[in-house]
């Protein structure tokens, strides 16, 4: 199989419909300043997080091969992650929640290929490679947490969304793209922010996907572990944010024991979190996940499950008590007086399956216009059709060549000539096909003879309802890719010259060919043209201190002057403090 990304033992298991989200990592587009930002954040993280992060973090950095010195290459990460049964692929910013979860279910980390700008060095609303590679990857080296992540993806990918969820995804994606691009128009950002805030306040009842995203946010992204008094960090959002990793430890941030209630607590991705949830251990995460899964249509089915699928206006699947799976866009459910589903209807392409494998002859080409069927038991007959033996079927005249009239509890009537029945390997009948068939409910005609063969699903109840398709091959384009693309930042000639200076400093450090004259020349250019840049002077100071050059005092004075700007003050001080620690350690 030929793909546009590297395949290994893990990624070759990905279903084809996920391939379209994978992009080539634009490694050559990372500027030398991007590399310096990575190095700064990672050095801060390793120093600070070694004290406050879960012990798996520092161990995981080594196991996953993530270097402090340079942005990781996807190929290198994959070779190392494969040893712990995982892989990584590069994607373009936020991808739809169901697709994100599905990647996780296949032990694949999706890594946003963008790199945060220096203006968002402490925190970025957009997913970037620091967040994904340096936040998520190290913790999955812990086997118990890795299994939680995989299981979360498996369950989360089946969560049913509402129509508004996708609208919110697109709105957040656009806002994050605009905020991360230094060339964005302020009016555009304000409008995008206003739309996100409006949607957050008008989502209505939380869908399964909204609730499971809440659980994901408060654990995988912003989770704390241990005791309420002395928690440790394991959430990737905190591990990748040098601002929030410090902020979250303060008393101002409320610490709450992690429980199922977290599924109802929504979040604002554009602001620091006012409260965080603390799990006593990773095993507790799995317990809460299973508690939530027990409330989902995936496990409860029923009329409520079908209604969730109708509200979602998206591809979904119901599984009947016979094991028959119906995948399509559900548009109608008829209920009896007690509110129980007695008839379900899809519109457009539909596929039937059993045990996640499409039934031969019952794909989307055959059921191109939709599918409808009664659910339940026959009126006045104690044995459900699915439990009838061949002898029982014969006794009730349900066999080939017979014209029959079936009336279901609830009032659905099916009248036509039986053509054949379809059974599973266990002998349970799952479908009965009719010709010259009419299906009615009271005065409403649901199917008429001129429409062709009528295939009636057999099942007394709906056991499961979930997002997506039963057989992954039935619907190749089952998940949409956003038309809003991340912006390629356009750099001015002045900016490009600055990045070339960053590159010179990087080469000096990497090749251990440090020249005081070159440092002086670069520093003079900074003072003359790039007076507000603070990170490159910090790197120059580091080289000057390490080599005991006389210019170190001049660079230090320049950094002190830059600290008069409150936007840089803390960042510069943290860098200076780190140099002192390394100098005396």
């Amino acid at each position: 199989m030929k793909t546009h990304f590297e395949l290994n033992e893990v990624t070759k298991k990905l279903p084809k419909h996920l391939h379209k989200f994978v992009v080539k990592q634009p490694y050559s587009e990372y500027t030398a300043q991007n590399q310096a930002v990575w190095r700064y954040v990672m050095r801060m993280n390793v120093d600070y997080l070694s004290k406050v992060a879960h012990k798996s973090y520092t161990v995981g950095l080594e196991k996953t091969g993530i270097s402090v010195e340079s942005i990781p290459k996807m190929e290198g990460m994959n070779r190392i992650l494969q040893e712990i049964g995982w892989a990584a692929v590069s994607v373009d910013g936020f991808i739809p929640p169901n697709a994100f979860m599905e990647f996780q279910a296949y032990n694949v980390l999706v890594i946003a290929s963008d790199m945060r700008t220096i203006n968002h060095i402490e925190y970025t609303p957009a997913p970037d490679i620091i967040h994904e590679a340096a936040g998520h990857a190290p913790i999955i080296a812990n086997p118990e947490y890795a299994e939680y992540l995989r299981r979360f993806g498996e369950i989360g990918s089946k969560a049913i969304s509402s129509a508004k969820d996708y609208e919110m995804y697109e709105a957040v994606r656009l806002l994050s793209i605009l905020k991360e691009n230094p060339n964005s128009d302020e009016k555009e950002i304000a409008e995008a922010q206003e739309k996100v805030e409006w949607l957050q306040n008008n989502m209505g009842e939380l869908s399964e996907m909204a609730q499971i995203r809440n659980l994901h946010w408060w654990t995988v992204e912003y989770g704390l572990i241990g005791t309420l008094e002395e928690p440790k960090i394991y959430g990737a959002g905190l591990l990748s944010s040098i601002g929030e990793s410090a902020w979250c430890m303060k008393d101002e941030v409320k610490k709450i024991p992690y429980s199922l209630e977290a599924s109802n607590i929504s979040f604002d991705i554009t602001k620091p979190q006012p409260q965080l949830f603390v799990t006593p251990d990773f095993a507790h995460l799995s317990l809460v996940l299973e508690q939530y899964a027990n409330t989902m249509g995936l496990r409860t089915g029923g009329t409520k499950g079908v209604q969730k699928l109708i509200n979602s206006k998206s591809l979904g699947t119901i599984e009947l008590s016979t094991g028959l799976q119906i995948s399509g866009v559900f548009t109608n459910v008829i209920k009896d007086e007690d509110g129980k589903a007695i008839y379900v209807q899809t519109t457009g392409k539909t596929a039937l399956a059993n045990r996640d494998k499409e039934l031969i002859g019952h794909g989307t080409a055959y059921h191109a216009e939709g599918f409808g069927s009664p659910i339940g038991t026959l009126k006045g007959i104690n044995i459900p059709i699915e439990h009838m033996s061949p002898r029982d079927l014969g006794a009730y005249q349900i066999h080939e060549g017979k014209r029959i009239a079936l009336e279901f509890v609830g009032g659905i009537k099916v009248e036509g000539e039986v053509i054949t029945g379809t059974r599973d390997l266990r002998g349970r009948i799952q479908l009965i096909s009719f010709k010259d068939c009419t299906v009615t409910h009271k005065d409403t005609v649901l199917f008429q003879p001129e429409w062709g063969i009528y295939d009636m699903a057999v099942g007394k109840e709906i056991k499961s309802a979930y997002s997506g398709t039963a057989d992954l091959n039935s619907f190749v384009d089952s998940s949409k890719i956003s038309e809003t693309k991340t912006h390629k930042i356009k750099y001015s000639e002045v900016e490009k010259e600055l990045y070339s200076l960053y590159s010179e400093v990087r080469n000096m450090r990497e090749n251990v060919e440090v020249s005081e004259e070159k440092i002086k020349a670069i520093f003079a250019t900074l003072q003359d043209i790039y007076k507000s840049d603070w990170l490159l002077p910090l790197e120059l100071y580091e080289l000057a201190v390490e080599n005991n050059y006389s210019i170190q005092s001049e660079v230090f004075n320049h950094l002190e002057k830059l600290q008069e700007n409150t936007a840089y003050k803390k960042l510069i001080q943290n860098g200076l403090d780190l140099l002192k620690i390394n100098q005396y350690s």
Side-chain angles (χ1 to χ4, degrees):
M1 182 171 63
K2 199 170 184 181
T3 63
H4 58 287
F5 59 97
E6 186 182 87
L7 289 176
N8 58 28
E9 288 303 308
V10 179
T11 54
K12 73 181 183 184
K13 294 173 185 173
L14 284 173
K16 285 182 183 177
H17 71 270
L18 292 179
H19 289 192
K20 61 179 172 284
F21 294 105
V22 182
V23 300
K24 184 175 174 57
Q25 185 186 18
Y27 204 87
S28 61
E29 294 176 17
Y30 299 139
T31 67
Q33 189 186 65
N34 288 152
Q35 295 283 4
V37 166
W38 169 276
R39 182 172 181 265
Y40 176 90
V41 172
M42 289 305 296
R43 292 175 82 222
M44 292 295 126
N45 278 353
V46 170
D47 174 63
Y48 175 67
L49 294 175
S50 61
K51 307 178 189 78
V52 298
H54 187 267
K55 59 186 178 182
S56 297
Y57 177 75
T58 48
V59 175
L61 276 177
E62 293 178 25
K63 276 191 180 179
T64 50
I66 295 171
S67 165
V68 169
E69 293 297 321
S70 57
I71 299 170
K73 291 185 176 178
M74 212 59 59
E75 295 85 355
M77 273 191 72
N78 263 328
R79 281 192 291 274
I80 297 166
L81 283 172
Q82 193 176 333
E83 294 176 14
I84 57 173
W86 281 72
V89 293
S90 185
V91 297
D92 180 43
F94 283 115
I95 65 172
N98 285 93
F100 178 88
M101 301 282 185
E102 198 172 352
F103 272 106
Q104 252 179 230
Y106 283 91
N107 284 23
V108 176
L109 281 178
V110 288
I111 294 186
S113 53
D114 287 340
M115 176 65 197
R116 70 187 63 179
T117 59
I118 194 168
N119 296 330
H120 292 130
I121 195 166
E122 288 193 281
Y123 169 79
T124 174
D128 79 329
I129 198 162
I130 290 181
H131 172 81
E132 312 287 8
H136 286 295
I139 299 295
I140 64 167
N142 179 296
E144 189 171 23
Y145 181 74
E147 174 54 22
Y148 166 72
L149 204 61
R150 185 202 66 77
R151 183 71 173 147
F152 199 108
E154 197 171 52
I155 292 170
S157 63
K158 302 294 187 185
I160 301 170
S161 302
S162 71
K164 283 187 177 179
D165 286 332
Y166 195 82
E167 194 179 352
M168 173 61 89
Y169 153 71
E170 286 283 12
V172 169
R173 178 178 165 85
L174 176 61
L175 178 61
S176 68
I177 289 169
L178 291 172
K179 278 196 166 187
E180 187 54 39
N181 185 356
N183 301 318
S184 291
D185 180 72
E186 287 300 322
K187 186 183 175 189
E188 267 190 303
I189 294 175
E191 287 173 353
Q193 178 82 43
E194 189 178 333
K195 183 169 184 180
V196 168
E197 289 175 359
W198 186 88
L199 283 169
Q200 283 174 335
N201 295 325
N202 293 275
M203 289 297 286
E205 186 181 349
L206 294 179
S207 68
E208 288 181 358
M209 179 51 75
Q211 289 183 311
I212 210 157
R213 281 188 70 221
N214 286 343
L215 292 180
H216 195 271
W217 183 263
W218 299 124
T219 62
V220 177
E221 298 294 353
Y222 276 79
L224 297 175
I225 187 168
T227 64
L228 293 178
E229 295 73 30
E230 292 185 53
K232 298 289 185 184
I233 297 171
Y234 72 91
L238 297 173
L239 292 173
S240 60
S241 170
I242 53 178
E244 284 212 88
S245 60
W247 163 251
C248 76
M249 289 298 167
K250 295 181 181 296
D251 291 339
E252 294 97 302
V253 179
K254 190 176 180 183
K255 314 297 189 301
I256 305 168
Y258 181 61
S259 69
L260 190 57
E261 180 54 30
S263 65
N264 296 315
I265 309 297
S266 297
F267 56 89
D268 184 343
I269 197 168
T270 65
K271 298 174 184 174
Q273 307 310 312
Q275 83 283 306
L276 295 173
F277 291 87
V278 185
T279 183
D281 48 45
F282 289 141
H284 184 68
L285 298 181
S286 296
L287 173 66
V288 173
L289 176 61
E290 291 300 322
Q291 287 174 342
Y292 182 73
N294 287 336
T295 71
M296 292 170 63
L298 175 67
R299 295 186 181 174
T300 60
T303 309
K304 192 174 180 182
V306 183
Q307 193 60 57
K308 286 179 182 179
L309 287 176
I310 293 170
N311 295 342
S312 78
K313 299 179 182 177
S314 299
L315 176 64
T317 298
I318 64 169
E319 183 172 325
L320 305 182
S321 46
T322 53
L324 181 72
Q325 296 160 311
I326 306 167
S327 298
V329 177
F330 287 83
T331 51
N332 186 31
V333 59
I334 300 174
K335 307 167 192 173
D336 64 13
E337 293 176 355
D338 297 323
K340 188 176 180 181
I342 56 173
Y343 192 90
V344 292
Q345 177 75 51
T346 66
T347 300
K349 292 181 177 180
T350 303
L352 307 183
N354 180 43
R355 293 190 173 186
D356 299 339
K357 186 174 176 60
E358 185 177 290
L359 296 182
I360 295 171
H362 289 281
T364 57
Y366 180 68
H367 296 290
E369 303 300 321
F371 182 86
S373 180
I375 306 292
T377 56
L378 295 172
K379 190 174 182 181
I381 299 175
N382 293 329
I383 310 172
I385 296 176
E386 64 201 73
H387 294 161
M388 288 183 183
S389 67
R391 183 177 293 175
D392 294 324
L393 291 168
Y396 291 109
Q397 302 293 299
I398 307 174
H399 59 81
E400 184 181 349
K402 285 287 183 183
R403 183 164 187 84
I404 58 169
L406 302 176
E407 184 175 357
F408 286 79
V409 174
I412 304 293
K413 293 179 181 177
V414 179
E415 299 178 65
E417 184 181 325
V418 177
I419 301 172
T420 187
T422 303
R423 296 179 182 274
D424 67 4
L425 286 172
R426 298 173 183 173
R428 287 186 304 182
I429 190 160
Q430 296 187 310
L431 277 175
I432 299 174
S433 298
F434 299 83
K435 68 179 181 180
D436 190 25
C437 187
T438 302
V439 182
T440 57
H441 178 246
K442 298 180 180 177
D443 296 329
T444 304
V445 177
L446 301 169
F447 192 92
Q448 47 198 24
E450 53 266 37
W451 294 354
I453 303 298
Y454 180 68
D455 299 292
M456 184 185 82
V458 176
K460 62 178 180 177
E461 59 186 330
I462 300 164
K463 301 293 287 184
S464 182
Y466 55 88
S467 176
T469 175
D471 186 331
L472 295 172
N473 297 312
S474 294
F475 297 81
V476 178
D477 297 319
S478 59
S479 45
K480 292 189 287 185
I481 190 164
S482 177
E483 293 179 9
T484 307
K485 304 301 177 189
T486 52
H487 299 170
K488 280 196 174 182
I489 299 173
K490 294 177 182 177
Y491 301 110
S492 66
E493 289 305 314
V494 175
E495 287 172 320
K496 288 177 183 176
E497 284 296 321
L498 174 61
Y499 303 153
S500 71
L501 297 179
Y502 270 93
S503 187
E504 284 186 53
V505 172
R506 184 176 181 82
N507 287 335
M508 276 194 282
R509 185 174 60 248
E510 289 181 346
N511 300 320
V512 202
E513 293 177 4
V514 186
S515 158
E516 183 166 20
E517 291 308 310
K518 192 174 274 191
I519 289 175
K520 285 180 178 178
I522 293 171
F523 183 57
T525 306
L526 287 175
Q527 287 181 302
D528 185 34
I529 303 173
Y530 305 104
K531 295 181 174 67
S532 62
D533 187 274
W534 61 270
L535 184 52
L536 193 53
L538 197 59
E539 292 205 331
L540 289 176
Y541 182 65
E542 180 187 346
L543 290 176
V545 168
E546 286 175 357
N547 293 276
N548 200 27
Y549 290 149
S550 58
I551 196 175
Q552 64 180 277
S553 57
E554 194 177 341
V555 179
F556 181 79
N557 291 337
H558 177 70
L559 287 166
E560 279 200 318
K561 190 172 182 182
L562 282 173
Q563 281 188 284
E564 292 173 7
N565 186 323
T566 54
Y568 314 143
K569 184 177 177 64
K570 188 182 172 190
L571 292 165
I572 293 171
Q573 193 57 53
N574 287 345
L576 292 172
D577 290 343
L578 187 62
L579 288 177
K580 286 177 192 172
I581 291 166
N582 292 339
Q583 191 178 1
Y584 297 112
S585 60

